Amino acid sequence: MKELAFIFIIITVSMQAQNHAPAAGQPGSTAIPANSQLFVAWATGIDVQLGFIDISDPTAQDSGSNYASYGSPEDAIGPATNQVVSLGDAGEAILTFNIPIVDGAGFDFAVFENSFSDTFLELAFVEVSSDGINYFRFPSHSATQTETQIGSFGNSDPTYINNLAGKYRGMFGTPFDISEIADDAMLDKNSITHIKIIDVVGSVDSNYARYDSFGNSINDPFTTPFYSGGFDLDAIGVINQQTLGVKHNNDLTFSVYPNPVLNKLYINSVLAVDLEIYDLNGRIVLTVKQSKNEGIDVSNLQKGFYIISITSEGKTSRIKFIKQ
């Protein structure tokens, strides 16, 4: 009986550990494709500090350098293209934006890596700042086993990974919600001006290991002693940014309510509007022409994140909402 109880505990712990979103394209995944209508802007500036190709052997070289040397920082500016800058072991990149990012409804931005598969995952910590000086890290979780080192071309299960950039394959962004960071007087969550990406040294050796928010060492491919080693940064796409909105002739800005919504979504416009609703993959799921604010029936939409495009008198506004 004790043996059965022990087995039950082990199975329960395992099931609880493996409960994060699955790979891109699978039900429940939070991966956002690079061409999604959710993205309203991309990073416009970058500063990079490259890391060694092998932090455990700083003398190791590839292509004439012991630091990562693949790509250029400018490859991580603008939309995701699969052209990247490799950061190397513990390398860092700080990206800036023309318009600050805000803590809006749902996810606020997404980070793109260039993995060629759903399981070869090179990971990175993500931090945000509203002054370029004080940075705050997203709480992260890695439930990947730490008994055996994942090799240079080894595989990871994305369902064991949360709030670490690089969780998804190339051209699919890993999204982040600013509200998940603890409040702090030094952080204005509605004026994020800098995002820092820090390569996770995926070693389980305590001499080089990096740890998640629960004190677990993060196991990902190590060593990667190549000029393209470490996290490969492709882009950061902005979902929620500071905006004054689009105004009508009566000086009102478009807005939608309630948000999140269960059955009917309302627009505050008193004018005739054309409406298109897009899903997370950028597909139009509903088109409506509305002459008065009677509400839009969204009860048949699946739960998740959507973007509504509102056009009136030649002016268009796009607003994110959540279907419950």
Side-chain angles (χ1 to χ4, degrees):
M1 192 67 178
K2 289 182 178 179
E3 291 180 355
L4 288 175
F6 177 75
I7 292 172
F8 176 77
I9 291 171
I10 294 298
I11 293 174
T12 301
V13 171
S14 176
M15 292 176 65
Q16 289 175 343
Q18 191 179 9
N19 63 356
H20 300 305
Q26 296 184 17
S29 178
T30 59
I32 305 178
N35 62 356
S36 172
Q37 293 287 328
L38 288 173
F39 295 116
V40 297
W42 300 83
T44 54
I46 188 171
D47 180 62
V48 173
Q49 294 183 353
L50 298 172
F52 289 113
I53 63 171
D54 183 359
I55 198 170
S56 66
D57 181 10
T59 65
Q61 291 191 3
D62 186 32
S63 299
S65 176
N66 47 5
Y67 288 88
S69 57
Y70 182 79
S72 64
E74 291 72 23
D75 290 326
I77 293 176
T81 61
N82 250 355
Q83 297 296 312
V84 302
V85 56
S86 297
L87 300 185
D89 288 348
E92 299 182 4
I94 295 177
L95 296 98
T96 53
F97 306 84
N98 279 342
I99 301 175
I101 301 169
V102 301
D103 181 14
F107 297 118
D108 302 304
F109 64 90
V111 182
F112 289 79
E113 216 257 359
N114 73 337
S115 175
F116 56 86
S117 79
D118 290 325
T119 56
F120 179 74
L121 307 178
E122 295 178 299
L123 306 173
F125 296 114
V126 178
E127 299 179 352
V128 298
S129 173
S130 54
D131 59 12
I133 301 171
N134 299 285
Y135 285 86
F136 299 85
R137 180 171 295 186
F138 279 90
S140 60
H141 184 215
S142 173
T144 303
Q145 58 80 24
T146 57
E147 290 76 24
T148 303
Q149 177 65 58
I150 296 175
S152 301
F153 298 100
N155 296 312
S156 305
D157 184 342
T159 64
Y160 285 101
I161 298 166
N162 187 52
N163 268 0
L164 290 167
K167 174 184 169 77
Y168 296 123
R169 68 177 184 266
M171 300 304 289
F172 285 88
T174 303
F176 293 85
D177 183 350
I178 296 168
S179 68
E180 295 186 19
I181 296 178
D183 292 339
D184 191 285
M186 302 301 292
L187 179 66
D188 182 351
K189 292 184 178 181
N190 287 314
S191 185
I192 301 301
T193 54
H194 297 69
I195 296 178
K196 183 184 291 187
I197 308 297
I198 308 169
D199 172 73
V200 168
V201 179
S203 175
V204 296
D205 182 338
S206 60
N207 290 313
Y208 313 108
R210 300 299 190 268
Y211 299 90
D212 70 5
S213 301
F214 300 89
N216 306 306
S217 58
I218 302 172
N219 192 359
D220 79 359
F222 185 81
T223 61
T224 53
F226 320 110
Y227 76 134
S228 59
F231 187 84
D232 301 308
L233 179 60
D234 184 359
I236 296 182
V238 179
I239 299 172
N240 290 318
Q241 67 177 2
Q242 288 183 0
T243 178
L244 296 178
V246 179
K247 296 189 176 181
H248 307 166
N249 291 338
N250 61 0
D251 205 36
L252 292 174
T253 56
F254 290 122
S255 64
V256 299
Y257 62 93
N259 190 7
V261 59
L262 183 60
N263 294 315
K264 272 203 170 185
L265 186 70
Y266 294 89
I267 315 298
N268 77 338
S269 174
V270 296
L271 304 175
V273 294
D274 293 320
L275 307 168
E276 291 181 331
I277 296 179
Y278 298 83
D279 66 11
L280 201 62
N281 293 307
R283 296 173 299 210
I284 296 177
V285 295
L286 188 63
T287 300
V288 179
K289 189 174 184 66
Q290 185 170 291
S291 58
K292 55 184 177 180
N293 196 8
E294 298 173 339
I296 308 161
D297 184 3
V298 295
S299 59
N300 290 328
L301 296 182
Q302 295 182 350
K303 294 180 179 180
F305 296 92
Y306 293 88
I307 185 167
I308 184 168
S309 176
I310 308 169
T311 302
S312 179
E313 298 186 341
K315 300 177 181 180
T316 300
S317 179
R318 289 176 175 167
I319 303 172
K320 276 73 65 179
F321 72 91
I322 302 172
K323 169 63 172 63
Q324 292 182 321

